[in-house]
Amino acid sequence: MKEEQRPSSGSNGVEIRRGRVDSLSIFEITEAELDSLAKGSPGSIFLNFGIFLLSVGTSFLATLLTVEIASLFKFAVFVVLATVGLVGGAFLLLLWRRLRHEVEDVVSKIRDRVDGPTRHPAAG
């Protein structure tokens, strides 16, 4: 028996099915907005390193508070590592908090051009 031939689009014979939609919105974006979306937010890196440094600082602080260190040099190293960890971690968490909505703000700005300033279901 002969195989049934199906209409195909494209040169490789891939079948394409299309579901109709009621409306379609087209958003125009600037080059700067596209770069911002492609770059993403540096907030996740700040969050990861901030949590890491806070963990290190807390560990060294707990060691300082629970163990008696006889060597002055080792004590100074532990104090420096605890201080750098806690201060650096707190600083990176503050940076993360400030930058975490950067990409969401760009997306909202693009959407507001078509819809006007309304609440979008995708935006939390």
Side-chain angles (χ1 to χ4, degrees):
M1 287 192 200
K2 210 174 190 185
E3 282 189 30
E4 191 175 309
Q5 296 268 337
R6 291 186 183 178
S8 62
S9 62
S11 62
N12 59 359
V14 176
E15 181 180 343
I16 298 174
R17 294 191 223 175
R18 180 174 172 224
R20 289 210 169 292
V21 294
D22 292 339
S23 67
L24 181 65
S25 299
I26 297 174
F27 297 92
E28 294 180 358
I29 62 172
T30 65
E31 187 76 24
E33 291 167 340
L34 182 62
D35 289 340
S36 176
L37 291 174
K39 180 178 62 170
S41 175
S44 62
I45 294 172
F46 291 149
L47 176 64
N48 290 337
F49 280 111
I51 290 172
F52 168 73
L53 285 176
L54 281 177
S55 300
V56 169
T58 304
S59 298
F60 279 100
L61 181 64
T63 302
L64 282 171
L65 296 176
T66 57
V67 176
E68 188 174 328
I69 301 174
S71 171
L72 184 60
F73 176 74
K74 288 181 183 177
F75 181 78
V77 168
F78 272 67
V79 168
V80 167
L81 289 175
T83 304
V84 167
L86 292 173
V87 172
F91 177 73
L92 288 175
L93 286 180
L94 287 174
L95 281 176
W96 165 75
R97 184 172 179 180
R98 191 171 177 161
L99 296 174
R100 67 182 167 167
H101 295 296
E102 191 174 275
V103 172
E104 294 170 2
D105 292 341
V106 171
V107 171
S108 293
K109 180 180 170 186
I110 293 169
R111 283 188 176 151
D112 287 343
R113 288 185 201 142
V114 172
D115 296 337
T118 59
R119 182 166 174 81
H120 305 285

